[in-house]
Amino acid sequence: MPLLLVVAAVILLLILTIVFKLNAFLSLIIVAVGLGLAEGMAAKDVLVSIQNGMGSILGSVVMIIGFGAMLGSLLIESGALQRITYQLIKIFGIKHIQWAVLLTGFVVGLPMYYMAGFVLLVPLVFSIAASTRLPLLYVGMPLVAALSVTHGYLPPHPGPTAIAALFKADFSLTLLYGLAIAVPAVIIAGPIFSRTLKRYNPSAPTTIAMPRHFTEDEMPGFGVSLFTVLTPILLMTLGAVATLTLPATSHTRQVVEFISDPSLALLISVLVAMVTLGLNRGKSMKEVMDLFSTSIAGIAMILLIIGGGGALKQIMVDSGVSVYITTLFTGMHMSPLFMAWAIAAILRVCLGSSTVASLTAGGMVLPLIATSAVKPELMVLAVGAGSLVCSHVNDPGFWIFKEYFNLTIPQTLATWTVMETLVSLVGLVGVFALDAVL
C-alpha cells in the first residue's frame, strides 16, 4: 500500500505539472502534503516534516548555488567566457574545431548553469559554422553534450549538489568521479555522435536575440579568465586528492579539505573573480554587487524547487515509505546503482525536468545507501545520469535546442533526444565501471 501511494503521488505530480501547467515548486509541496496525509501522518506532523525537509536540503546547497550564480554572472558580464572560447578555437584550429567547442562547453559548463551557458555560447557556434561552412550540428552538438553532462553529473550544479547533500556524499569525490565519467560521455555524445548527423543541415535562425559581443579590449586576458573559471574546480579536486592520498590525522589534509568544501571553494572563487574580473577591470564595487543581486534573483525559483524536492523526500522518510521501499527491494537482488538510475530515468521521461526527476528519485532511493555497500558518490552519479535520459517534448531544454538550431520536432528527437540518452547510458556504464574498481 505505501508504494502504491508513492506511485499515485508521482502520477499527481505529472498531472499538476503537465496537464495543469502548475509550477514545479507548488506541485511538489501539494504532492508532499497529499502523500503525508494519505500515509496517515497527522496534519501538524506533515507541516513539520515539510519544513524540516526544506530546511535541511536548502541548508546544504543554498550557499553553493548562490555563490555559483554570482561567479557565473561575473564570468559572463566581464567577457571572460568569450575570451576563453576564442582562445581555445585559435589554439585548436578549424581542423579540430569540434574539440575546441567541446572543451569550451566543458570549461564553461563546470561553474555555470546549463541555460546560461547555452544562450551564451550558441551564437559562437553559429559564427563558427558560418565562417568555416561546417554543418551547424557538427559544430554545435559537442557544445550541448558538454553542457548537459556537467549539468547532470557535476557539483556545483543544482541537481547533483542537492543529491550529494541528500546522500551525504563527499562533494569533492563526487566531482572527481563525475569528471572521470564525463569525459567519455561528452566524447561519444558530442564529436562521435555528431558525425552521424550529416543528413541534417539546418540554418541558424535570424529571429533570436544574441547576447552582447565583447571587443578585444573589453575582454580580460586568457590566463586570468581560465584561472578564475577553474578556481572552484581546482580547489574541490585538490580536496578529493587529499582525501584519497593523505591520512585522516594529517594537518595538511584537514586544511585542504576545509578550503575545498564546495561552499568555501566557491566563496573563495567569487572573491577572486571580484578582483580579477571586477575591480581590476574597472568595475566599481557597487556595479559588482548589483550584478550579484541580479544573479541571485535569477535562481530563486531553482532554490524553491530544490526545497520542494527536499520536502517530498522528508515526507517519504517520516511517513515510513522509505523503510517500506528498502524492505521491498532488499530481496530483489537488484543493483542499487541501476535502481537509482532507472527510477530517475522513469521520472525524467514523465516529468521533463532533470532537477525535479533527480530530487524525487533521490528521496525514493535514499534508504538503499544505508542498506548496501555502494558508495554514495556513485549513487549521486547514477541518479544524475538517469535524470538526463530521453529528453522530449515535456522538457524545456528540448524546445530551446529545437528553436535555436532551427529543427523540426522529428529532427530534434533524432538529434537532441538521442544525444541526451547517449549521455545517460554512458554515465550508467561509467558508474558500474567505477564501482568495479573502487
Side-chain angles (χ1 to χ4, degrees):
M1 186 64 178
L3 189 58
L4 291 177
L5 290 176
V6 171
V7 173
V10 172
I11 293 173
L12 176 59
L13 189 61
L14 286 172
I15 294 172
L16 292 175
T17 56
I18 297 174
V19 178
F20 292 101
K21 309 296 182 185
L22 200 63
N23 175 272
F25 170 67
L26 293 175
S27 301
L28 284 165
I29 296 300
I30 291 170
V31 169
V33 171
L35 179 61
L37 294 175
E39 292 287 355
M41 295 178 66
K44 184 177 180 180
D45 292 339
V46 169
L47 295 178
V48 171
S49 185
I50 287 174
Q51 291 168 0
N52 290 339
M54 289 192 67
S56 63
I57 193 70
L58 288 177
S60 302
V61 306
V62 68
M63 285 197 298
I64 298 173
I65 296 174
F67 289 145
M70 293 179 187
L71 179 60
S73 65
L74 263 178
L75 291 170
I76 294 174
E77 294 301 324
S78 66
L81 293 183
Q82 183 176 312
R83 168 66 76 187
I84 292 170
T85 302
Y86 283 10
Q87 188 65 33
L88 288 175
I89 291 170
K90 183 179 178 180
I91 292 171
F92 280 85
I94 298 301
K95 184 178 179 180
H96 303 291
I97 196 68
Q98 282 191 311
W99 300 100
V101 173
L102 184 149
L103 189 56
T104 298
F106 204 81
V107 170
V108 171
L110 286 170
M112 185 168 293
Y113 301 131
Y114 175 86
M115 209 62 70
F118 182 92
V119 173
L120 178 73
L121 294 177
V122 158
L124 173 73
V125 170
F126 296 161
S127 175
I128 293 171
S131 61
T132 60
R133 297 184 180 179
L134 290 170
L136 196 58
L137 290 174
Y138 178 86
V139 179
M141 198 57 75
L143 171 71
V144 294
L147 291 173
S148 180
V149 165
T150 54
H151 171 76
Y153 290 6
L154 305 176
H157 286 270
T161 299
I163 298 302
L166 181 64
F167 291 173
K168 293 182 171 54
D170 184 287
F171 281 88
S172 296
L173 287 178
T174 301
L175 176 64
L176 192 63
Y177 296 157
L179 287 170
I181 298 174
V183 171
V186 296
I187 291 174
I188 292 171
I192 294 176
F193 174 61
S194 67
R195 293 172 188 177
T196 69
L197 304 177
K198 294 180 181 178
R199 62 188 179 278
Y200 304 114
N201 191 23
S203 57
T206 58
T207 57
I208 295 176
M210 300 302 175
R212 177 187 173 189
H213 180 83
F214 293 88
T215 65
E216 181 70 22
D217 293 336
E218 290 175 326
M219 293 184 289
F222 176 68
V224 70
S225 299
L226 189 62
F227 171 75
T228 306
V229 167
L230 294 180
T231 296
I233 308 305
L234 292 173
L235 287 173
M236 284 189 275
T237 303
L238 187 63
V241 173
T243 300
L244 293 172
T245 59
L246 297 176
T249 55
S250 169
H251 179 68
T252 301
R253 172 174 167 174
Q254 293 170 7
V255 172
V256 172
E257 286 182 338
F258 175 68
I259 64 173
S260 66
D261 178 86
S263 298
L264 194 57
L266 280 162
L267 172 59
I268 293 171
S269 302
V270 168
L271 296 176
V272 169
M274 283 174 54
V275 177
T276 58
L277 304 181
L279 303 179
N280 284 358
R281 299 293 300 169
K283 291 184 182 294
S284 67
M285 185 62 76
K286 183 180 184 305
E287 289 176 314
V288 174
M289 293 303 107
D290 287 345
L291 194 60
F292 285 170
S293 298
T294 302
S295 68
I296 293 300
I299 64 165
M301 186 52 65
I302 293 175
L303 291 173
L304 285 176
I305 291 172
I306 290 174
L312 181 57
K313 176 271 302 182
Q314 197 63 42
I315 287 291
M316 291 183 183
V317 172
D318 294 344
S319 66
V321 171
S322 293
V323 175
Y324 177 84
I325 292 174
T326 302
T327 305
L328 183 66
F329 285 111
T330 298
M332 294 181 64
H333 305 294
M334 184 184 295
S335 166
L337 292 171
F338 179 77
M339 193 179 303
W341 178 89
I343 292 174
I346 292 169
L347 290 170
R348 158 69 157 181
V349 172
C350 295
L351 297 173
S353 168
S354 63
T355 301
V356 175
S358 62
L359 288 169
T360 307
M364 295 176 69
V365 303
L366 175 62
L368 299 177
I369 297 176
T371 59
S372 67
V374 68
K375 290 182 177 294
E377 294 81 14
L378 296 184
M379 286 289 281
V380 174
L381 296 174
V383 171
S387 73
L388 293 176
V389 76
C390 200
S391 166
H392 59 96
V393 295
N394 64 351
D395 177 15
F398 176 94
W399 295 102
I400 291 171
F401 181 87
K402 174 189 177 299
E403 294 303 317
Y404 268 87
F405 283 86
N406 212 12
L407 297 166
T408 65
I409 290 180
Q411 289 172 338
T412 309
L413 289 168
T415 54
W416 164 262
T417 303
V418 174
M419 182 275 293
E420 288 280 85
T421 303
L422 281 173
V423 163
S424 179
L425 293 174
V426 174
L428 177 62
V429 172
V431 166
F432 277 122
L434 283 177
D435 186 51
V437 300
L438 292 174

